[in-house]
Amino acid sequence: MLWWTLRQLKSKDPETRKQAAQTLGEVKDIRPVGSLVNALLVECDHDVREEVVKALGKIGDIRA
């Protein structure tokens, strides 16, 4: 499941990326932190960026 959600984080569809970020935040697994931080750096959509920030906050890893 994690690999699929990470793949969705790179989707062309902003709603899919937003859902992926929400899912990753709910799982609270530290493994996707690097991908989430990268998404935050390259993401243009405000709503997706907001969900990525929320997910990183829920995970609570110091790299975030």
Side-chain angles (χ1 to χ4, degrees):
M1 179 187 129
L2 182 61
W3 70 270
W4 179 251
T5 308
L6 289 172
R7 186 173 177 166
Q8 289 179 319
L9 194 59
K10 296 179 180 182
S11 170
K12 291 182 181 181
D13 178 43
E15 188 60 35
T16 301
R17 294 192 308 270
K18 183 178 169 182
Q19 288 294 106
Q22 289 173 341
T23 300
L24 292 170
E26 294 301 320
V27 174
K28 297 180 183 177
D29 186 336
I30 64 168
R31 293 178 292 174
V33 168
S35 296
L36 286 166
V37 169
N38 187 54
L40 186 61
L41 295 173
V42 299
E43 184 59 57
C44 296
D45 187 279
H46 172 70
D47 293 333
V48 178
R49 288 178 58 86
E50 182 178 351
E51 288 305 322
V52 169
V53 169
K54 288 179 185 177
L56 288 168
K58 288 179 182 179
I59 294 170
D61 189 86
I62 61 170
R63 295 175 287 169

